[in-house]
Amino acid sequence: MARILIIGGHGKVALRLAPQLVARGDTVTSLIRNPAHETEVAATGAAPLVADVELLDVDQLTNVVAGNDAVVWSAGAGGGDAGRTYAVDRDAAIRSMDAAAAADVRRYVMVSYFGARVDHGVPEGDSFFAYAEAKAAADAHLRASGLDWTIVAPSALTLEEPTGLIDAAADAAGSVPRADVASVIVAALSDPRTVHRTIRFNTGVVPIEVAIAG
């Protein structure tokens, strides 16, 4: 059993991830910004830790990460303000990777999105541009970090019931329930074959554990 730190513990994926990890016997800490969310996060079985990842420097994040076996980045600025998007989705994410390396916490799972890449093709005037740029930079830093990383890159997220079935070979984005994204993260943490891989996926017909095995 492992000690897992979820950064962005009140997000819709994270709230579905924590109970799955706890159910398999992991000890989960969920980093959250808003103390008003402590009760909801605690109800998942995770221990809430209140701190604003946007404001923590590398040394402070190293102290937060230390003692865990894996980090899951599931935080995000939520769009809207480009400056805050860069501050959280790029800069804070990169600091968390540097902190994981400094704390010798090798396993790191990044929640990205299906189309994330340096040549994402989003026009600069598009409201999605800052997010696309931020995720591309964060993913690139992770790949070069020396950590045992996995990038989980789902297509459009829904609140539908989970199916446990995905398509990890799709060429174009579709959609996938958030609960299935959480299950992909759990499966990736359990499967060393997912290290140093980017897993892009939609809802499909293949069981998650089979689909991510590569």
Side-chain angles (χ1 to χ4, degrees):
M1 301 302 103
R3 297 182 62 87
I4 312 293
L5 173 68
I6 303 174
I7 300 177
H10 188 254
K12 292 182 176 67
V13 170
L15 288 172
R16 290 158 175 79
L17 170 62
Q20 294 189 44
L21 293 172
V22 170
R24 71 174 196 170
D26 293 331
T27 299
V28 181
T29 301
S30 286
L31 187 69
I32 57 174
R33 182 170 60 92
N34 189 343
H37 296 153
E38 283 187 87
T39 299
E40 187 177 1
V41 169
T44 69
L49 175 61
V50 179
D52 190 343
V53 71
E54 184 179 354
L55 303 178
L56 298 179
D57 62 24
V58 173
D59 288 342
Q60 292 168 321
L61 274 167
T62 301
N63 289 333
V64 171
V65 171
N68 287 284
D69 299 301
V71 175
V72 176
W73 178 275
S74 191
D81 181 77
R84 186 159 185 269
T85 295
Y86 286 121
V88 176
D89 293 278
R90 181 188 64 193
D91 301 340
I94 287 172
R95 289 197 301 274
S96 77
M97 299 165 202
D98 294 345
D104 198 29
V105 178
R106 309 304 306 167
R107 193 70 173 103
Y108 191 109
V109 176
M110 164 63 73
V111 179
S112 189
Y113 74 99
F114 194 98
R117 53 180 58 88
V118 173
D119 57 341
H120 51 73
V122 178
E124 192 166 348
D126 193 299
S127 61
F128 193 70
F129 179 80
Y131 182 76
E133 285 283 288
K135 294 303 283 185
D139 289 357
H141 190 87
L142 182 56
R143 293 186 180 105
S145 67
L147 296 171
D148 296 333
W149 57 268
T150 302
I151 296 173
V152 172
S155 53
L157 303 176
T158 75
L159 291 172
E160 294 177 6
E161 290 299 309
T163 67
L165 304 171
I166 62 170
D167 177 2
D171 294 325
S175 64
V176 64
R178 286 175 171 85
D180 281 334
V181 177
S183 296
V184 169
I185 297 168
V186 174
L189 286 167
S190 303
D191 191 342
R193 292 172 295 183
T194 66
V195 170
H196 298 158
R197 285 179 50 212
T198 299
I199 302 170
R200 295 184 174 89
F201 61 97
N202 304 319
T203 290
V205 297
V206 181
I208 287 169
E209 292 80 3
V210 176
I212 70 166

